[in-house]
Amino acid sequence: AEIQKSHQVKKTEDEELLNAYNKIQRSVRDIESKYRRMLALKQQQLKTDSLMQRENLAQKIFDAVSKLICEFTVSEKYENYLINLVKNEKINENFIIMISEKDLKYSNVLQDISGCKVETDPDIVMGGISIVDTENGIAVDKTFDSAIKEQRKQFSSRYKFRNENLS
């Protein structure tokens, strides 16, 4: 009876130890899983914050560039810039030069230099010119508006901020 009792107690102890071990392992897995999720969420939040900060810095850069462009368009050098844009293109009387409303004061000079019609385009806000070939349906866009848009699209793939590690 004592031997049987001893085996039964040993068997019960082993079963309970195995149950306790399994409960501990399950708890460890649950805790590890919980902290992995927390870590992944924190990493995602940090990455999102970093991308937002990067976007804010990029926006500040483009705001500063836009401000400098606006200052340039009211300077004395801007008229010569527009004239050189027209002179560097091969155009004839079938072309139309599109300018912004605020650049309307340069229309006579541009018309005299190019020999073609000058019109305003409401889509041109910052400045520059767009030259339209009415015969071939081709437009050459030399506006600051489109240049800024194009640079903005390419900015994230071209430029990295120092110490940037988003992976």
Side-chain angles (χ1 to χ4, degrees):
E2 281 298 319
I3 292 173
Q4 181 114 8
K5 179 183 169 189
S6 174
H7 280 309
Q8 192 62 31
V9 169
K10 177 98 169 116
K11 183 180 175 188
T12 305
E13 276 182 2
D14 288 346
E15 287 175 359
E16 288 306 313
L17 283 173
L18 183 61
N19 286 341
Y21 177 77
N22 288 335
K23 283 182 183 179
I24 290 169
Q25 290 299 316
R26 219 175 7 259
S27 292
V28 167
R29 280 193 306 274
D30 291 347
I31 290 169
E32 284 177 345
S33 176
K34 174 185 171 186
Y35 282 104
R36 262 193 242 104
R37 275 194 307 275
M38 288 172 60
L39 177 63
L41 287 172
K42 188 62 174 175
Q43 286 175 328
Q44 184 63 36
Q45 182 62 45
L46 290 172
K47 188 173 184 177
T48 301
D49 292 348
S50 179
L51 289 172
M52 285 176 46
Q53 181 64 20
R54 185 183 199 289
E55 182 60 31
N56 288 339
L57 289 172
Q59 188 58 47
K60 285 180 183 178
I61 290 169
F62 280 94
D63 288 347
V65 168
S66 295
K67 182 181 177 200
L68 289 173
I69 289 172
C70 287
E71 289 172 5
F72 173 70
T73 60
V74 294
S75 73
E76 294 174 7
K77 296 177 183 177
Y78 183 58
E79 182 177 4
N80 286 332
Y81 172 78
L82 291 176
I83 291 169
N84 286 331
L85 285 178
V86 172
K87 283 182 178 178
N88 290 334
E89 294 295 323
K90 295 179 182 175
I91 55 179
N92 59 45
E93 65 277 347
N94 296 323
F95 285 67
I96 299 174
I97 297 175
M98 306 300 286
I99 58 174
S100 70
E101 299 258 342
K102 67 180 183 68
D103 293 340
L104 202 53
K105 59 188 171 195
Y106 305 117
S107 64
N108 289 335
V109 173
L110 295 174
Q111 193 167 353
D112 291 344
I113 289 171
S114 65
C116 56
K117 192 173 176 183
V118 177
E119 296 179 1
T120 60
D121 182 350
D123 292 333
I124 303 173
V125 177
M126 296 181 80
I129 62 172
S130 181
I131 302 170
V132 180
D133 180 351
T134 55
E135 286 182 348
N136 298 316
I138 299 172
V140 177
D141 193 341
K142 303 255 184 190
T143 63
F144 293 128
D145 306 83
S146 64
I148 288 280
K149 257 187 230 171
E150 188 62 33
Q151 288 299 314
R152 187 73 169 115
K153 285 180 197 173
Q154 296 175 6
F155 184 78
S156 61
S157 62
R158 260 193 199 165
Y159 300 102
K160 301 282 185 216
F161 290 103
R162 202 154 63 186
N163 297 328
E164 184 176 86
N165 184 8
L166 297 176
S167 52

